[in-house]
Amino acid sequence: MTPDPPQLPAPPEHRAYLPAVEPERQITDWGRSERVEGALDKTLYEFLYHYWFRVSVEGIEHVPAAGGALLVSNHAGALPPDAAMIAKAIKTEHPRPRPLHLTVEHFFKGYPGLSMLVQKLGGVPAHPANVHRLLDDEEQLVLVFPEGRKGTEKLYKDRYRLRRFGRGGFVESAMRARAPIVPVAVVGAEEAMPVFGQIRPLQKLTGLIYFPITPTFPWLGLLGGVAYLPAKFSIRFLEPIPTDQWGDAPWDDKGLVQTVAEEVRACIQEELYDMLANRKSVWLG
């Protein structure tokens, strides 16, 4: 067998085109990139948070400064910016900022470019084993949207009416990790990119999970805030619900799991109604 020829150094005139060494770059086991996340944070997120959505935050002290915790929020809009704004609120307002991991649907795997970006920004495939590892083993903050795609498909006429929170899988994950559940209520996302209808034929043609009719072209939201209407965002973090108060294996009681899930849903729904009742303007708050 002929040995491979030795790798010769690049000619001097080509060295300028070689990728630079980046000793400061950090990528976690989940594929999260501080470099990519930091670049997006300093540009797009900073603009959206402070100048476009003018986010106001209440109850940030309810987000634990250490240990695992599961944040549970409402979710809506054609291309919802709520996850990014919740993460930015923790980074900006919390006395001890912490990274936030977001569980995402397996739908993203079908779009290599988008799936790679979501992963670099802290997205983790929605699976109980992943949530448990983040909460229990790594003691991280995890954000889940139990409404799932039902929330993002919701029409404007049904705004701020929460869909069913699945089968309570998020409660079971929090119970197994003995991690508190922090309910989060978000107002503004449903007006930032409202959905007035769904085009089912185009949904099947494109393979997207939905193809909404919205005043702005939703995928431009990845490139700049101008794709969103400038609705004022209000984020309210509610008092944590401990999950270590129901014995040794409360997750085996499916009735209890479903009851707690419904209580979390009702808590967020009540806060949304209160926030809406006190909001004077969609655009000014």
Side-chain angles (χ1 to χ4, degrees):
M1 180 184 299
T2 304
D4 293 335
Q7 298 296 320
L8 299 177
E13 64 271 17
H14 293 165
R15 285 178 183 167
Y17 299 97
L18 294 176
V21 177
E22 298 176 301
E24 75 283 358
R25 186 181 67 163
Q26 296 184 15
I27 299 179
T28 69
D29 291 342
W30 300 98
R32 186 176 199 151
S33 169
E34 290 189 5
R35 183 169 62 93
V36 173
E37 186 177 16
L40 206 60
D41 177 75
K42 292 177 182 178
T43 54
L44 179 59
Y45 293 168
E46 188 78 10
F47 168 73
L48 290 177
Y49 186 87
H50 289 291
Y51 304 107
W52 195 254
F53 295 138
R54 295 146 291 132
V55 181
S56 62
V57 178
E58 299 176 69
I60 192 68
E61 68 277 4
H62 292 146
V63 178
L70 187 68
L71 279 63
V72 181
S73 175
N74 58 303
H75 192 46
L79 186 66
D82 40 27
M85 294 302 99
I86 292 172
K88 183 65 174 174
I90 295 173
K91 184 173 183 178
T92 303
E93 314 293 344
H94 202 281
R96 294 188 62 183
R98 304 175 60 189
L100 181 66
H101 294 78
L102 167 67
T103 58
V104 297
E105 297 208 24
H106 296 280
F107 149 76
F108 288 103
K109 287 185 176 181
Y111 298 85
L114 182 58
S115 64
M116 183 180 299
L117 178 61
V118 169
Q119 185 180 34
K120 288 184 179 296
L121 296 177
V124 176
H127 190 281
N130 292 339
V131 177
H132 185 270
R133 177 183 167 186
L134 285 166
L135 291 176
D136 192 43
D137 300 345
E138 302 183 14
E139 297 186 340
Q140 298 287 333
L141 296 178
V142 181
L143 173 63
V144 297
F145 297 113
E147 290 178 280
R149 58 183 292 180
K150 299 189 300 294
T152 54
E153 288 179 335
K154 185 168 49 181
L155 301 183
Y156 185 70
K157 65 183 181 65
D158 298 319
R159 59 193 178 279
Y160 300 113
R161 298 176 186 173
L162 297 187
R163 295 291 189 257
R164 182 173 175 267
F165 274 17
R167 299 178 182 177
F170 70 95
V171 174
E172 184 175 338
S173 295
M175 286 178 169
R176 289 181 181 275
R178 304 286 181 178
I181 296 173
V182 181
V184 183
V186 180
V187 166
E190 305 218 26
E191 291 88 7
M193 190 169 283
V195 178
F196 297 114
Q198 300 289 344
I199 307 177
R200 302 300 178 185
L202 289 180
Q203 174 186 347
K204 294 180 180 179
L205 181 64
T206 60
L208 296 171
I209 54 174
Y210 54 81
F211 201 104
I213 300 174
T214 180
T216 55
F217 191 64
W219 296 276
L220 289 180
L222 293 172
L223 304 177
V226 291
Y228 294 108
L229 300 177
K232 180 172 173 55
F233 267 47
S234 296
I235 303 176
R236 183 177 292 178
F237 296 91
L238 308 180
E239 188 173 348
I241 301 171
T243 61
D244 56 357
Q245 55 182 320
W246 293 300
D248 294 332
W251 53 85
D252 289 334
D253 187 342
K254 301 305 179 184
L256 175 61
V257 169
Q258 194 64 53
T259 297
V260 174
E262 183 54 36
E263 288 177 353
V264 173
R265 178 187 175 279
C267 177
I268 297 174
Q269 182 69 85
E270 183 178 353
E271 291 297 324
L272 288 175
Y273 286 150
D274 178 69
M275 295 165 73
L276 292 170
N278 290 286
R279 183 175 68 170
K280 296 182 175 61
S281 167
V282 170
W283 317 112
L284 302 177

